[in-house]
Amino acid sequence: MFKLAWPFFMICETPLHAGSGNDLGIVDLPIQRERHTDFPKVESSSLKGCIREAFESLDEINFNGIKLTKKDLNESIMLAFGPEQGDLHAGALGFTDARILLFPVKSMKGVFAWITCPKVLERFKNDLLLSGIKDLPELPEANTVPYGSNLLLNENKVILEEYTFNIEKPAEGDKCTKFAKWLANKIFPSSEEYKYWLEKMKKDIVVLSDDDFRDFVNLSTEVVTRTRIDSKTGKVENGALFTEEYLPPESVLYSLVLASPVFSANKGVFKKEGKREEEMVLEFFCAGLPGVIQLGGNATLGKGIIRTRIMGVE
């Protein structure tokens, strides 16, 4: 039974293809989606596998005041993530599916906007409550933008793709402004490196209705046509033309990392007097998670480069 949960964010640096196999629809290789909403997601099994691989690529980490070398690190990974082979014990770390939080859409002004909707935000709020986080500001309503938004035309219109939306005229200190500022500070560090993105997110979030959001995440993903070339003829092989769907760069997803006591009799570095094992496991995850990981398919094409940020951890 998992005892602790904590949220972390994933920002797509390059297009992300977490595939769901072949499909009979328009796109041959679609991305993973929730069955009841059609919102994009990444299965927890895919997420756990790529994070484990990222941990295994590390040579050492500083954890709990000591430096774990490769041997101790490998043992700790087995205890935290579970053995790769056999069924000696379960892993002490788990993950929820990565859910979409902000989706980038082309805008007439401001280049692009991040869109979200009340359903996504309510679910995000509930997930934070599971983690014990209660400082979330009041959630904004649909058809709102933050005060000072770069996206507005004539003070109350936003044009996304070819669609025009009437927006409530924002006021300084309103719910959308406070929420966008809070969220931007959680997703991006306050360092100079992220100043542009931090300031953009504070102003360029648009909260749409649930239905409008669903339409955009279905119709505005990237669809790429790919081919396989016959090396002898230099021509496209028969039947080798296919389409592949991607979440676009700047998409923001989040997941909960779940921690339980270690299931093995050998507790390794996770045993310390005065601290619960699940706390140690969660600290191990926070200490070792790389700032950049690769998730999903087509790694050799540069796809799926993800920047990670654990909420509250610089």
Side-chain angles (χ1 to χ4, degrees):
M1 178 68 181
F2 293 110
K3 303 291 186 181
L4 291 176
W6 199 254
F8 65 102
F9 299 103
M10 290 155 279
I11 304 102
C12 296
E13 295 288 326
T14 63
L16 168 64
H17 176 78
S20 60
N22 295 331
D23 192 77
L24 297 177
I26 297 173
V27 179
D28 297 313
L29 299 174
I31 58 175
Q32 296 168 4
R33 293 182 180 275
E34 297 174 352
R35 178 68 176 174
H36 64 302
T37 65
D38 260 351
F39 294 172
K41 68 170 182 175
V42 178
E43 289 283 350
S44 55
S45 56
S46 302
L47 186 58
K48 183 177 181 180
C50 85
I51 292 177
R52 179 178 186 138
E53 184 179 1
F55 268 78
E56 290 174 342
S57 69
L58 300 174
D59 293 322
E60 60 183 32
I61 65 169
N62 292 312
F63 169 62
N64 199 31
I66 60 175
K67 183 177 288 187
L68 297 183
T69 58
K70 194 66 175 178
K71 180 181 177 182
D72 292 332
L73 180 57
N74 287 340
E75 178 183 316
S76 301
I77 290 171
M78 185 184 72
L79 294 174
F81 289 89
E84 282 201 288
Q85 297 180 346
D87 56 355
L88 294 176
H89 58 82
L93 279 176
F95 299 87
T96 64
D97 292 345
R99 291 172 163 175
I100 191 73
L101 178 60
L102 301 173
F103 184 80
V105 175
K106 181 170 62 177
S107 173
M108 177 69 75
K109 287 190 66 179
V111 183
F112 79 92
W114 278 291
I115 64 168
T116 187
C117 70
K119 176 172 178 54
V120 166
L121 296 180
E122 281 291 343
R123 220 161 41 169
F124 179 59
K125 175 184 175 181
N126 291 336
D127 286 340
L128 294 193
L129 290 175
L130 287 175
S131 304
I133 298 172
K134 300 178 181 179
D135 69 336
L136 187 71
E138 194 173 357
L139 298 181
E141 294 90 2
N143 299 317
T144 57
V145 297
Y147 181 77
S149 176
N150 300 309
L151 310 171
L152 286 171
L153 291 158
N154 300 328
E155 297 187 335
N156 68 338
K157 294 186 185 297
V158 170
I159 299 178
L160 305 175
E161 301 283 1
E162 65 268 34
Y163 303 103
T164 300
F165 296 90
N166 291 319
I167 299 294
E168 287 187 25
K169 187 176 179 180
E172 191 170 2
D174 64 13
K175 287 188 284 188
C176 192
T177 304
K178 289 180 179 178
F179 179 81
K181 182 177 180 180
W182 178 90
L183 186 61
N185 287 324
K186 296 297 183 183
I187 293 177
F188 294 110
S190 56
S191 62
E192 187 67 24
E193 178 185 359
Y194 294 96
K195 183 178 179 180
Y196 172 83
W197 297 107
L198 183 66
E199 293 304 315
K200 181 173 177 61
M201 186 169 285
K202 288 178 181 178
K203 296 181 178 180
D204 290 351
I205 287 176
V206 182
V207 184
L208 299 177
S209 70
D210 295 341
D211 289 339
D212 289 334
F213 179 82
R214 181 186 58 192
D215 289 341
F216 273 115
V217 298
N218 273 280
L219 302 174
S220 296
T221 53
E222 293 188 7
V223 178
V224 177
T225 300
R226 296 183 57 194
T227 62
R228 185 166 60 248
I229 304 298
D230 188 313
S231 59
K232 294 181 180 179
T233 65
K235 298 170 62 177
V236 176
E237 292 184 11
N238 290 332
L241 186 69
F242 62 95
T243 54
E244 201 165 38
E245 186 180 21
Y246 292 88
L247 269 180
E250 275 73 67
S251 298
V252 179
L253 304 102
Y254 74 96
S255 173
L256 298 183
V257 55
L258 312 170
S260 72
V262 175
F263 289 97
S264 171
N266 169 30
K267 306 298 182 180
V269 298
F270 301 116
K271 187 173 180 62
K272 183 178 181 180
E273 189 171 348
K275 293 201 75 170
R276 295 185 295 165
E277 290 176 23
E278 56 268 28
E279 291 177 344
M280 300 282 287
V281 170
L282 192 57
E283 288 175 10
F284 174 74
F285 173 81
C286 293
L289 181 67
V292 176
I293 62 175
Q294 195 282 326
L295 175 62
N298 298 326
T300 58
L301 302 179
K303 308 300 186 184
I305 305 300
I306 305 297
R307 193 170 296 275
T308 64
R309 176 91 193 281
I310 301 169
M311 182 177 284
V313 178
E314 291 289 341

